[in-house]
């Protein structure tokens, strides 16, 4: 309890490494305060004891409370833990002093895994918050001028820097794979979207981000399938040092009525207090069970298309017709999913390596261009990916095409790179993809929020901030913000290009 706490944390980390991390469980006081019963379960599991009953869990939590121990251990206890609260520093240190301590934390403990949960616990405010709500953004809003954010994930329910960003030698995990699903389902066992919660509002709720390409196909599917009144929706205003942020709060249970902001990690923590996962959008939330149905955009699209509440069809055809399901799944798994993974992982690889070329980056680009050429050739013989019928794979793919030219081409340094590094929509290499994108834009236009696409240009400085925060020293916040040098294309030109007449059906 005395001396340099930074030295003590370093010594603790060295002890853990010496003994072996599988033989040590580190328990954080802040995590105990946030959810003591979840931490009791964590301790119990580590010790290999039989599961705690609810009664025993409540009894232990009560016996270990600060008030209980004070009343039963005598006056000496009050000198041991002071108030037993979290965040009491605000009563002793002003913002300037705490900012200095943040810098000392980074310099002293950067790169020490054991210390990473403390970084989030000790924050007075979440850094890198969106400056304005998403509805107030226009095509001139330059999010490159917003402060970068710490890229985070959840480790045993605690917010920590994303290890895939911090460690350059880590292979970035597949972006589109579902990393968190508590309710197992498939398109053959649809969710009943006609059900309501206890307050009469829809049982199921979607958390989306307009800068994420999967928001527009999901919103379009809801409209086309007549589900807009059957699923409630909250739209994120952007990323922050605690993940996706909703400035005005969440409109669904159990957070409805609570003053904002709301952070999406809260839904993950409530669904499983000890989860280890990326904090991904979209999220389909069950307000009755307070669980995440899925955070996999492709699975959510299939669920919407096969739900018992989807009553409207396009031209008497389903978005996920039974006879085309094998072909739709094959198109997604063989081409569309891997293409999008190639592009996004190549972009993250570019920033993780300080915007330097790597073999992994070059391979990702070439793979992406190869798949684009194949899809362009395919669309030379058919109007949509699987014939004359629009399906969910068309919604998914076309949304990516809109975002490629508006974001990835420049933010991820694809322009002028190996292969055909030019725009898909206005270039000359992919004439059939161009015609296809125009065709699909007529359907998706009301749901594509180009005004939010600038969020992608915050990724580079934010990755740099995350990596430097987990090491000693680094650039200032202003310098990091200025490092967002990628050119933002003229979004009005892209929109005008997409609004040109669509091609006739083959």
């Amino acid at each position: 309890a005395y001396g340099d706490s930074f030295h003590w944390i370093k010594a603790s980390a060295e002890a853990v490494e010496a003994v072996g991390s599988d033989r040590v469980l580190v328990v954080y006081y802040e995590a105990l305060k946030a959810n003591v019963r979840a931490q009791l379960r964590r301790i119990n599991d580590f010790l290999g004891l039989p599961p705690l009953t609810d009664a025993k869990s409540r009894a232990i939590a009560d016996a270990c409370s600060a008030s209980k121990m004070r009343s039963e251990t005598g006056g000496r206890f009050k000198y041991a833990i002071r108030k037993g609260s979290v965040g009491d520093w605000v009563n002793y240190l002003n913002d300037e002093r705490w900012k200095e301590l943040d810098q000392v934390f980074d310099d002293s403990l950067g790169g020490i895994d054991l210390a990473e949960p403390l970084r989030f616990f000790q924050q007075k405010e979440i850094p890198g918050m969106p400056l304005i709500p998403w509805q107030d953004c226009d095509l001139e809003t330059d999010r490159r001028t917003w402060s970068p954010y710490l890229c985070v994930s959840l480790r045993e329910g605690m917010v920590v820097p994303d290890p895939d960003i911090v460690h350059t030698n880590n292979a970035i995990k597949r972006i589109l794979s579902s990393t968190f699903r508590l309710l197992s389902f498939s398109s053959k066992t649809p969710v009943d979207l006609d059900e309501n919660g206890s307050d009469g509002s829809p049982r199921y709720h979607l958390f989306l981000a307009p800068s994420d390409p999967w928001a527009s196909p999901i919103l379009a599917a809801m409209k086309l399938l007549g589900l807009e009144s059957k699923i409630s929706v909250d739209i994120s205003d952007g990323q922050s040092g605690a993940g996706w942020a909703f400035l005005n709060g969440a409109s669904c249970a159990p957070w409805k009525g609570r003053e904002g902001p709301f952070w999406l990690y809260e839904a993950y923590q409530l669904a499983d207090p000890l989860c280890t996962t990326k904090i991904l959008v979209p999220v389909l939330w069950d307000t009755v069970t307070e669980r995440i149905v899925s955070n996999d955009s492709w699975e959510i699209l299939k669920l919407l298309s096969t739900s018992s509440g989807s009553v409207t069809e396009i031209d008497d055809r389903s978005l996920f017709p039974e006879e085309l399901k094998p072909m739709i799944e094959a198109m997604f798994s063989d081409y569309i999913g891997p293409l999008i993974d190639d592009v996004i992982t190549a972009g993250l690889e570019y920033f993780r390596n300080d915007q330097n070329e790597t073999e992994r980056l070059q391979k990702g680009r070439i793979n992406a261009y190869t798949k684009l050429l194949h899809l362009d050739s395919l669309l030379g013989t058919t109007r949509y990916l699987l014939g004359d019928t629009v399906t969910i794979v068309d919604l998914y793919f076309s949304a990516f095409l809109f975002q490629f030219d508006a974001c990835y081409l420049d933010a991820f340094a694809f322009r002028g790179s190996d292969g055909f590094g030019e725009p898909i929509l206005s270039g000359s290499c992919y004439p059939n993809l161009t015609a296809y994108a125009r065709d699909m834009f007529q359907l998706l236009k009301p749901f594509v929020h180009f005004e939010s696409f600038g969020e992608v240009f915050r990724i580079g400085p934010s990755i740099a901030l995350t990596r430097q925060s987990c090491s000693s020293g680094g650039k200032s916040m202003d310098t990091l913000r200025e490092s967002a040098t990628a050119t933002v294309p003229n979004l009005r030109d892209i929109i005008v290009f997409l609004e040109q007449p669509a091609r006739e059906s083959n």
Side-chain angles (χ1 to χ4, degrees):
Y2 301 96
D4 185 344
S5 61
F6 295 138
H7 175 76
W8 183 85
I9 293 170
K10 286 181 178 178
S12 298
E14 291 170 359
V16 170
E17 184 175 358
V19 174
S21 59
D22 59 328
R23 298 180 61 195
V24 179
L25 180 70
V26 179
V27 181
Y28 298 84
Y29 182 72
E30 293 86 349
L32 279 168
K33 289 287 289 186
N35 193 330
V36 65
R37 294 181 66 182
Q39 292 302 309
L40 286 175
R41 174 159 64 92
R42 182 167 169 253
I43 295 169
N44 193 74
D45 291 346
F46 177 76
L47 296 174
L49 299 175
L52 285 171
T53 64
D54 286 344
K56 286 183 178 180
S57 183
R58 285 194 298 269
I60 295 172
D62 179 65
C64 293
S65 67
S67 60
K68 188 76 168 181
M69 287 191 286
R70 281 196 185 96
S71 66
E72 296 187 356
T73 58
R76 59 188 175 85
F77 184 76
K78 67 181 181 181
Y79 299 110
I81 65 165
R82 294 176 62 242
K83 299 178 181 179
S85 61
V86 172
D88 193 43
W89 66 265
V90 298
N91 297 314
Y92 301 92
L93 297 175
N94 59 29
D95 290 348
E96 181 179 355
R97 290 300 184 189
W98 195 252
K99 185 176 181 180
E100 293 176 7
L101 193 57
D102 278 342
Q103 188 59 56
V104 174
F105 183 100
D106 287 348
D107 293 342
S108 301
L109 301 178
I112 296 180
D113 189 64
L114 183 147
E116 289 308 334
L118 300 174
R119 188 188 302 277
F120 182 78
F121 288 140
Q122 55 81 34
Q123 291 178 145
K124 181 181 181 182
E125 297 178 342
I126 302 297
M129 286 289 288
L131 296 184
I132 57 176
W134 70 274
Q135 306 97 316
D136 294 342
C137 293
D138 56 33
L139 293 176
E140 277 66 52
T141 300
D142 189 354
R143 298 199 187 198
R144 294 175 302 174
T145 63
W146 296 9
S147 294
Y149 52 86
L150 202 67
C151 303
V152 296
S153 60
L154 287 171
R155 186 177 73 205
E156 293 186 288
M158 295 176 287
V159 178
V160 297
D162 188 336
D164 285 345
I165 298 300
V166 173
H167 305 297
T168 306
N169 59 337
N170 280 13
I172 297 175
K173 297 179 180 67
R174 188 171 186 266
I175 298 299
L176 300 180
S177 61
S178 176
T179 59
F180 189 92
R181 188 181 301 139
L182 293 179
L183 173 61
S184 179
F185 72 91
S186 72
S187 56
K188 295 181 180 179
T189 56
V191 166
D192 185 357
L193 297 181
D194 284 322
E195 295 183 12
N196 292 326
S198 58
D199 63 353
S201 59
R203 172 175 178 171
Y204 297 99
H205 184 86
L206 275 164
F207 292 103
L208 303 174
S211 58
D212 184 86
W214 323 134
S216 54
I218 288 175
L219 290 171
M222 288 175 60
K223 172 67 175 179
L224 296 170
L225 296 168
L227 299 175
E228 289 180 301
S229 65
K230 300 182 180 183
I231 306 176
S232 53
V233 177
D234 277 321
I235 305 292
S236 173
D237 302 293
Q239 281 275 21
S240 74
W244 293 104
F246 300 74
L247 296 178
N248 295 320
S251 62
C252 69
W255 307 281
K256 187 176 182 178
R258 191 192 81 178
E259 185 178 352
F262 165 81
W263 290 274
L264 191 57
Y265 79 85
E266 298 178 71
Y268 282 83
Q269 282 183 336
L270 181 58
D272 181 353
L274 299 179
C275 65
T276 296
T277 177
K278 293 185 180 298
I279 307 168
L280 302 177
V281 286
V283 162
L284 182 60
W285 176 255
D286 185 339
T287 65
V288 173
T289 63
E290 296 186 344
R291 292 293 184 266
I292 290 175
V293 177
S294 179
N295 67 352
D296 184 306
S297 53
W298 180 242
E299 291 295 339
I300 290 173
L301 271 174
K302 290 191 292 183
L303 182 148
L304 297 180
S305 302
T306 56
S307 165
S308 59
S310 56
V311 296
T312 303
E313 298 181 345
I314 312 170
D315 298 332
D316 297 325
R317 298 186 182 97
S318 168
L319 287 173
F320 194 38
E322 192 66 35
E323 69 275 12
L324 291 181
K325 282 182 179 179
M327 296 174 65
I328 291 172
E329 293 282 19
M331 176 61 68
F332 178 80
S333 61
D334 294 345
Y335 294 102
I336 306 305
L339 165 65
I340 297 168
D341 273 342
D342 285 337
V343 171
I344 296 178
T345 54
L348 297 180
E349 176 74 10
Y350 174 68
F351 288 121
R352 288 198 315 167
N353 288 277
D354 299 322
Q355 302 181 35
N356 293 316
E357 295 288 319
T358 67
E359 182 178 350
R360 193 182 295 165
L361 169 60
Q362 293 170 353
K363 182 179 179 180
R365 287 173 175 159
I366 292 173
N367 288 342
Y369 292 134
T370 300
K371 292 181 181 70
L372 284 171
L373 286 172
H374 173 84
L375 291 166
D376 184 75
S377 176
L378 171 67
L379 287 165
T381 61
T382 180
R383 183 173 186 179
Y384 303 114
L385 290 172
L386 296 173
D388 292 331
T389 300
V390 173
T391 68
I392 53 173
V393 75
D394 290 295
L395 300 182
Y396 206 91
F397 179 46
S398 58
F400 164 77
L401 293 180
F402 306 150
Q403 196 143 354
F404 184 88
D405 276 23
C407 304
Y408 306 139
L409 184 66
D410 293 294
F412 291 173
F414 269 74
R415 189 185 295 271
S417 59
D418 293 339
F420 302 98
E422 64 174 54
I424 294 175
L425 303 180
S426 59
S428 59
C429 292
Y430 312 102
N432 298 311
L433 285 177
T434 298
Y436 169 78
R438 286 176 174 164
D439 211 356
M440 288 299 301
F441 190 64
Q442 313 310 311
L443 190 64
L444 268 71
K445 180 180 177 180
F447 313 103
V448 182
H449 198 256
F450 280 94
E451 295 84 350
S452 293
F453 283 4
E455 182 72 22
V456 175
F457 289 85
R458 299 179 68 203
I459 293 176
S462 299
I463 289 177
L465 172 66
T466 305
R467 290 177 57 76
Q468 81 160 37
S469 295
C470 296
S471 61
S472 59
K475 302 175 183 177
S476 69
M477 188 70 74
D478 288 340
T479 302
L480 286 169
R481 195 157 38 229
E482 291 168 1
S483 69
T485 56
T487 301
V488 177
N490 189 314
L491 297 178
R492 295 187 189 280
D493 288 349
I494 294 175
I495 295 171
V496 169
F497 188 86
L498 286 169
E499 287 177 335
Q500 293 181 22
R503 63 183 176 182
E504 295 297 324
S505 176
N506 290 334

